[in-house]
Amino acid sequence: MGNVGPPIISRLQQYQSDGFLWYNAARKMSYIPFPLPHAQLTVIFLYICTALLPILMISFTEFWSGLVLNFLGLFVIAGLHLVSNELEYPFRNAPNDLPLNLFQAQFNEGLLTMFAGYHPDSWWEIKSTA
């Protein structure tokens, strides 16, 4: 490995090992589907809360505070439902997702350029001191 010290090589191998570990964890997560009964119970709970929460809020609070609390409660539950939908298929290409394939391709291109020996100062003449 050239003139690189053993602690640096050890750290590089540790980072590579961590990368493989988390890659395999993400791959496992994408292959194991989200449990369908859990998703169905979440939707049923959302519908029940949509039907009963306004009645409960207005009966135990004043009208306007019940209205605000009802909106916030249902907003949070619907948000949790949308997050669970996103976690169900984590690696799909939805319109609101980041272009991770493009980012990875640009990163790989940068690494190849770096390892090829390109240096920004190579376009200008560098005067040698010798």
Side-chain angles (χ1 to χ4, degrees):
M1 291 260 170
N3 293 329
V4 181
I8 296 174
I9 297 297
S10 171
R11 182 56 60 107
L12 288 175
Q13 288 176 344
Q14 179 185 2
Y15 281 143
Q16 185 179 16
S17 172
D18 288 345
F20 285 139
L21 177 75
W22 288 110
Y23 169 75
N24 286 326
R27 202 173 105 215
K28 228 187 307 183
M29 190 184 344
S30 71
Y31 288 146
I32 297 172
F34 193 74
L36 183 66
H38 187 275
Q40 289 174 337
L41 285 175
T42 305
V43 172
I44 290 171
F45 182 67
L46 182 63
Y47 289 151
I48 290 172
C49 283
T50 304
L52 295 180
L53 201 60
I55 298 167
L56 292 172
M57 285 292 180
I58 291 176
S59 65
F60 289 112
T61 62
E62 294 179 11
F63 180 76
W64 292 108
S65 61
L67 193 67
V68 170
L69 289 173
N70 178 31
F71 174 75
L72 290 176
L74 288 177
F75 187 74
V76 167
I77 293 170
L80 287 174
H81 175 64
L82 292 174
V83 168
S84 69
N85 279 344
E86 189 67 30
L87 289 176
E88 190 170 355
Y89 301 109
F91 298 113
R92 66 180 172 181
N93 289 327
N96 63 345
D97 286 345
L98 293 173
L100 295 179
N101 292 332
L102 175 66
F103 291 165
Q104 184 66 45
Q106 290 173 345
F107 180 74
N108 290 343
E109 183 179 349
L111 286 177
L112 287 174
T113 304
M114 182 178 69
F115 285 126
Y118 169 76
H119 193 273
D121 294 336
S122 66
W123 291 101
W124 293 280
E125 292 182 23
I126 301 174
K127 297 178 184 177
S128 62
T129 57

